[in-house]
Amino acid sequence: MKEKLYFYYTSDLHSHFENWPQIVGYFNEQKKKHDKKGEEYWLFDNGDHVDRFHPIAEGLMGKGNVELLNDAGYDVATIGNNEGITLASEDLHSLYDQATFRVVCANLDCKSSSSPAWLKPYHILESKYGTKIGVLGLTAPFQAFYQQLGWDVLSPFDVLDGIIEEMRNQTDIIILLSHLGINEDEEIARRYSDIDIIIGGHTHHLFKNGEYIDGALLTAAGKHGTHLGEVAVEWNIDTRHLEKKEAYAVPTEQLKKDDGVTKKVKEIRSKAVHELGTPVTYLREPLHIAWFQDTPLMNRLTEQLRLWTSADIAMLNAGVLLDHLSAGEITYEDIHRICPHPMNPCLVQLRGDELMEVIRAAHTKELTEIRLKGFGFRGEVIGKMVFAGIDIEVGTDEDGCEHVQHVTFDGEPIDYERIYQFATADTFTFGRFFPEIAYAKSKKYFMPELLRDLLSEALKS
């Protein structure tokens, strides 16, 4: 006798709720079809459902996202880095208190207090014929960030070494909810033959029809809800063998929206916006932004970063501010609207010659005109790099390109051998924008403060 089992999932939604009504609408239609045939199905979320760029996630600290997952009938979810390291420790600790689904993440533990009751390494589902499906969760091990927030995140491979045999002894099928990225997923598939299906995320990759590595089925649904994931398997009850497994990424753009879900999202948004209505300050005059020019608001924010971190020098990109502020009362909703990025302040140590390389790179069009997506940045373009704590003289050639001519700190030229305390956004400690910052040996992240918290302080003063 053969049993057909179906698993549907979302991954890396990042609070892009514009696609949520059609995702849930599709799930509901599939549920009806399966119920009619007597087939079994489960819904999973693979992490980064929460993203504080959106008012719902910010105003309700992720609990609005959990409410939407509850309403949609999800069964199991794991934690992404946006749940794990953009929320304060106490907010993550209570995030899933009201969840009606299971939360699995085997490589996360709370150091500052006992781990929350909802956090489990894995959960075992059971079909009506007794087939046992183990669902295991793993999240990206950003140890420097988790440690700062009072959590401990372990190597996923160390965890798997200790848990796979335990799960195999209790289950027939093992599914990994992996918020680790494509490279780690492929390595896990090669190392652990007991894992049957890997639902991947974090690196926002998309497998339209799944990929197979050493017998494991890898599937991924991209980002922002542009696709949802569907996995279908056939289990032979008599031979206790998984005979067939298939995966698909279903585009959501043309799917029918569920009107009830659309209404629910609007209701939760209104509730969240109300929470963000706290007054921050009052402006007698409007403050404008410009992505490729100096502005008083951007200069003040960069100086606030320098003061907040006790740095010698600070640098931020003007593209981090997305909109103007009108005269009158300014609320936290306004602050969030113009600076929605889940980006933290960071302090690194740079030698004088490294500092000069950063300053030179910061004045190139190749960098300032990059249309950046990811690394915590939720804007459009990097924009002009704004500095505080140093004086920079630049010249412009006939092509309009800037060239750094002279740099002074406290009235003196930069000492190439001196160590300077340099503050910036954590975005620039990743990637290849500034190798000197990315590879700095000393990095201190300020958490849970986000750049918009510094912006609030700057506006108050």
Side-chain angles (χ1 to χ4, degrees):
M1 181 178 176
K2 295 179 182 178
E3 183 179 25
K4 287 188 176 181
L5 305 171
Y6 296 86
F7 309 97
Y8 297 91
Y9 71 88
T10 45
S11 186
D12 295 278
L13 188 81
H14 286 279
S15 295
H16 277 263
F17 300 115
E18 64 271 18
N19 296 312
W20 189 246
Q22 53 264 44
I23 288 171
V24 179
Y26 181 83
F27 288 162
N28 290 339
E29 287 301 311
Q30 294 304 104
K31 287 178 184 180
K32 290 176 186 176
K33 291 178 184 177
H34 293 313
D35 287 340
K36 200 170 183 180
K37 295 179 181 179
E39 297 169 336
E40 290 190 87
Y41 54 85
W42 293 269
L43 302 187
F44 302 149
D45 184 76
N46 196 38
D48 277 4
H49 193 281
V50 174
D51 191 318
R52 290 178 60 185
F53 98 93
H54 195 283
I56 285 178
E58 179 72 1
L60 302 173
M61 283 299 145
K63 291 186 178 180
N65 297 67
V66 172
E67 188 175 344
L68 290 171
L69 288 166
N70 284 344
D71 288 353
Y74 274 67
D75 296 285
V76 187
T78 194
I79 293 170
N81 48 289
N82 272 266
E83 286 90 6
I85 62 176
T86 71
L87 295 171
S89 180
E90 60 272 18
D91 290 321
L92 175 56
H93 205 283
S94 65
L95 177 60
Y96 298 101
D97 284 352
Q98 304 303 316
T100 55
F101 51 89
R102 303 285 184 160
V103 182
V104 293
C105 191
N107 65 328
L108 185 63
D109 191 21
C110 189
K111 293 194 309 177
S112 57
S113 64
S114 58
S115 289
W118 47 258
L119 180 60
K120 304 295 180 186
Y122 60 86
H123 178 63
I124 298 176
L125 303 167
E126 188 170 352
S127 77
K128 60 188 176 184
Y129 293 108
T131 304
K132 293 180 179 176
I133 305 112
V135 185
L136 169 71
L138 291 169
T139 196
F142 289 113
Q143 177 63 16
F145 291 88
Y146 278 107
Q147 194 170 28
Q148 193 93 351
L149 291 167
W151 293 80
D152 195 20
V153 64
L154 307 174
S155 158
F157 295 98
D158 290 346
V159 169
L160 286 170
D161 287 342
I163 207 169
I164 284 296
E165 186 177 354
E166 173 188 324
M167 288 188 69
R168 177 50 76 198
N169 291 336
Q170 301 179 65
T171 62
D172 299 304
I173 300 168
I174 294 179
I175 298 175
L176 171 61
L177 297 181
S178 167
H179 201 88
L180 299 172
I182 186 171
N183 293 334
E184 284 74 7
D185 291 350
E186 291 175 349
E187 182 63 21
I188 288 170
R190 285 188 284 265
R191 283 202 210 180
Y192 303 95
S193 59
D194 285 333
I195 296 178
D196 300 293
I197 298 162
I198 300 175
I199 293 175
H202 182 52
T203 44
H204 299 172
H205 53 293
L206 176 69
F207 292 151
K208 291 185 178 179
N209 296 295
E211 300 280 342
Y212 293 88
I213 295 180
D214 292 348
L217 172 61
L218 279 66
T219 177
K223 64 177 181 177
H224 299 172
T226 60
H227 293 74
L228 59 88
E230 182 173 338
V231 179
V233 305
E234 245 180 46
W235 175 256
N236 190 313
I237 296 173
D238 300 319
T239 64
R240 314 302 295 171
H241 181 66
L242 191 58
E243 294 194 345
K244 189 176 180 182
K245 48 188 176 182
E246 299 175 339
Y248 311 96
V250 181
T252 61
E253 187 179 3
Q254 301 301 322
L255 297 178
K256 184 180 178 182
K257 293 185 177 183
D258 185 300
D259 292 337
V261 176
T262 301
K263 182 180 178 183
K264 180 69 173 183
V265 171
K266 287 180 179 178
E267 289 173 359
I268 294 178
R269 183 189 174 103
S270 296
K271 183 177 169 185
V273 168
H274 176 75
E275 292 294 323
L276 294 173
T278 306
V280 173
T281 190
Y282 186 91
L283 296 181
R284 294 181 181 178
E285 297 178 355
L287 289 172
H288 298 286
I289 64 159
W291 290 342
F292 297 100
Q293 298 175 23
D294 282 322
T295 63
L297 182 56
M298 195 64 221
N299 289 336
R300 186 68 192 90
L301 174 57
T302 310
E303 175 63 11
Q304 183 67 32
L305 172 64
R306 189 183 72 83
L307 296 172
W308 185 277
T309 57
S310 300
D312 299 316
I313 301 157
M315 178 189 78
L316 284 175
N317 58 305
V320 82
L321 297 182
L322 306 186
D323 202 358
H324 312 293
L325 288 174
S326 302
E329 184 179 76
I330 302 299
T331 67
Y332 198 77
E333 182 192 359
D334 296 311
I335 303 295
H336 179 264
R337 173 175 53 81
I338 75 165
C339 191
H341 330 276
M343 292 159 58
N344 303 98
C346 181
L347 185 69
V348 301
Q349 291 184 350
L350 297 179
R351 222 175 38 245
D353 58 339
E354 295 172 324
L355 173 62
M356 287 301 298
E357 287 301 315
V358 169
I359 293 169
R360 291 188 186 106
H363 285 81
T364 60
K365 278 189 175 183
E366 289 82 2
L367 185 130
T368 59
E369 293 181 356
I370 290 175
R371 302 191 73 81
L372 177 60
K373 294 295 179 186
F375 298 107
F377 185 71
R378 302 293 183 256
E380 295 295 326
V381 65
I382 285 182
K384 178 183 174 69
M385 304 306 296
V386 178
F387 290 83
I390 52 174
D391 293 308
I392 304 172
E393 292 180 17
V394 297
T396 306
D397 62 23
E398 58 187 19
D399 294 325
C401 296
E402 290 186 339
H403 298 279
V404 176
Q405 295 180 330
H406 194 55
V407 182
T408 57
F409 173 76
D410 281 346
E412 298 291 332
I414 296 297
D415 182 345
Y416 280 28
E417 298 301 321
R418 175 177 169 178
I419 300 296
Y420 293 88
Q421 305 297 319
F422 185 86
T424 190
D426 62 1
T427 295
F428 299 116
T429 67
F430 308 116
R432 297 184 296 272
F433 308 110
F434 298 100
E436 296 79 12
I437 297 174
Y439 298 121
K441 292 180 180 178
S442 173
K443 295 190 184 87
K444 179 182 178 182
Y445 296 99
F446 290 76
M447 304 178 76
E449 300 93 344
L450 301 178
L451 284 186
R452 57 178 165 271
D453 297 315
L454 275 63
L455 179 59
S456 294
E457 294 300 314
L459 286 167
K460 289 176 185 176
S461 59

